[in-house]
Amino acid sequence: MTFDNDVASVPTPQDAPVETEATARSWDHIGAIILDAALQRRQNYHATVRPRVLTLIEAWPDAATTSGFRAHLDGGTLSEVIDWPSPGRLAQVDDMTAVLEIQRIETVAELRAAFDDAAKGADLREAMGAVLHVSPKTLDYIEALSQEPANAVEE
């Protein structure tokens, strides 16, 4: 039971930025989006996935583009960088990257635009859906990861 004077009912100040689950899972880095989507299945997000995504961004800042990410993937060190031994998830990362290459999606803005365009979005979903373990739910997740954070400030 709650009452009007409960602390929980007090709204947060409008000028205080609040990191929600949605804004916490928005990346402006293609490699981060792919890695997040590939690792999230049956994993604890905060203990397993997010630390590895942050490590990837720090280690490979130029992997913010598909071609930059591919250059690093071809080096064969992803497993060591993110401390992930499972070849299945690493293969999924490679396959998802290949789809973005084929679709000619280089940046997060282009990924977002593809999802926003009905025809391109359908093509992208079909191609990405052919990758092992990429379900419609995973595709929705990738789309959410590509969105601008809700508290982004326009410049």
Side-chain angles (χ1 to χ4, degrees), residues 95-116:
D95 292 345
M96 292 167 69
T97 304
V99 169
L100 295 184
E101 290 169 323
I102 291 166
Q103 296 282 318
R104 295 189 171 139
I105 295 172
E106 184 67 13
T107 66
V108 174
E110 291 172 357
L111 179 61
R112 187 170 42 249
F115 278 118
D116 288 345

Side-chain angles (χ1 to χ4, degrees), residues 6 18 60 74 80 87 91 95 118 124-125 127 134 141 150:
D6 279 353
V18 176
W60 295 352
D74 288 348
E80 292 80 27
D95 292 345
L124 175 59
R125 285 177 175 276
V134 176
Y141 186 63

Side-chain angles (χ1 to χ4, degrees), residues 46-109:
H46 293 288
T48 304
V49 179
R50 186 170 174 84
R52 285 173 170 83
V53 172
L54 293 173
T55 296
L56 177 82
I57 292 169
E58 184 177 323
W60 295 352
D62 56 330
T65 63
T66 302
S67 59
F69 192 47
R70 170 57 69 198
H72 283 289
L73 289 179
D74 288 348
T77 61
L78 178 61
S79 177
E80 292 80 27
V81 169
I82 64 167
D83 189 27
W84 192 271
S86 169
R89 303 285 175 117
L90 300 175
Q92 183 180 3
V93 166
D94 191 75
D95 292 345
M96 292 167 69
T97 304
V99 169
L100 295 184
E101 290 169 323
I102 291 166
Q103 296 282 318
R104 295 189 171 139
I105 295 172
E106 184 67 13
T107 66
V108 174

